[in-house]
Amino acid sequence: MQAETLAGLMGLGGALVGAAVSTGAVVWQQRKTAHEAERVHLLGLAEAAANEVIWLSYELQDRFAEGVPDRNSSAYYTWEDPIQRLNRSLEEQMIRFHDMQVRDFLSRCHAEILVRAESVADPGGWPPRYITICGDIRRVMGTVLRRQPFPRRIWRNYPDVTEG
């Protein structure tokens, strides 16, 4: 084999290796950029949902603070219907969070309000249950907005009834 041919093949080989490495680097960078864009998008959704949930917690707290009208009166339904609409909105926002603990926490809050709205509004205990629920919702949403770990001590207010 002549030296010129060998030099040409070496040059061609170098060009092919360089092209492969360059292409691989571009593909890797594109995937990394796409992954980062998806992460930023999901964080944006979670941030928007957290802000909405904070607003819902204040609305729920205001409704519960009005007190529970007599169950046999028409005022009861004008009290309960808005609470259940707000609670449904809470459930809708729940699905926008990536963190399973946040979804589980909001699910427990939603279930308690759905099943026991009158008990949640009862001012018999101190603080009333709705104050605890709404305050805990805001505390957890604050950790979401600050990108901090889930506050585990919250669970003592929401025992899992399936464990036992």
Side-chain angles (χ1 to χ4, degrees), residues 11 51-52 65-66 76 83 112 160:
N51 286 322
E52 179 70 14
E66 293 173 0
Y76 177 81
I83 285 178
E112 188 168 351
D160 188 354

Side-chain angles (χ1 to χ4, degrees), residues 45-58:
L45 287 177
E47 185 176 310
N51 286 322
E52 179 70 14
V53 169
I54 290 169
W55 178 83
L56 288 168
S57 76
Y58 282 115

Side-chain angles (χ1 to χ4, degrees), residues 4-155:
E4 296 85 24
T5 308
L6 185 58
L9 287 175
M10 293 293 280
L12 178 62
L16 290 175
V17 168
V21 169
S22 176
T23 302
V26 168
V27 167
W28 176 80
Q29 185 62 41
Q30 286 175 340
R31 287 184 180 167
K32 182 179 174 189
T33 302
H35 177 71
E36 182 63 20
E38 180 182 7
R39 189 181 74 76
V40 167
H41 175 71
L42 291 175
L43 286 173
L45 287 177
E47 185 176 310
N51 286 322
E52 179 70 14
V53 169
I54 290 169
W55 178 83
L56 288 168
S57 76
Y58 282 115
E59 290 293 314
L60 281 165
Q61 186 171 331
D62 290 347
R63 283 292 180 172
F64 281 123
E66 293 173 0
V68 184
D70 179 7
R71 197 178 230 300
N72 295 324
S73 71
S74 62
Y76 177 81
Y77 296 102
T78 60
W79 173 82
E80 187 187 41
D81 286 348
I83 285 178
Q84 293 307 337
R85 276 197 303 280
L86 291 167
N87 196 31
R88 192 174 320 113
S89 295
L90 181 68
E91 182 184 33
E92 290 169 5
Q93 295 304 317
M94 177 179 60
I95 64 174
R96 291 177 171 81
F97 294 98
H98 177 71
D99 187 333
M100 185 62 185
Q101 289 185 92
V102 172
R103 289 194 313 266
D104 189 29
F105 165 73
L106 291 175
S107 176
R108 290 182 194 192
C109 293
H110 169 265
E112 188 168 351
I113 293 169
L114 180 68
V115 174
R116 305 176 346 134
E118 288 179 53
S119 297
V120 169
D122 184 16
W126 187 255
R129 184 67 178 149
Y130 71 87
I131 297 289
T132 302
I133 291 172
C134 294
D136 287 346
I137 287 172
R138 289 189 288 273
R139 191 168 297 113
V140 169
M141 293 303 105
T143 64
V144 169
L145 292 172
R146 290 185 303 273
R147 295 181 177 96
Q148 293 176 332
F150 186 89
R152 292 179 187 253
R153 67 182 184 277
I154 292 282
W155 289 126

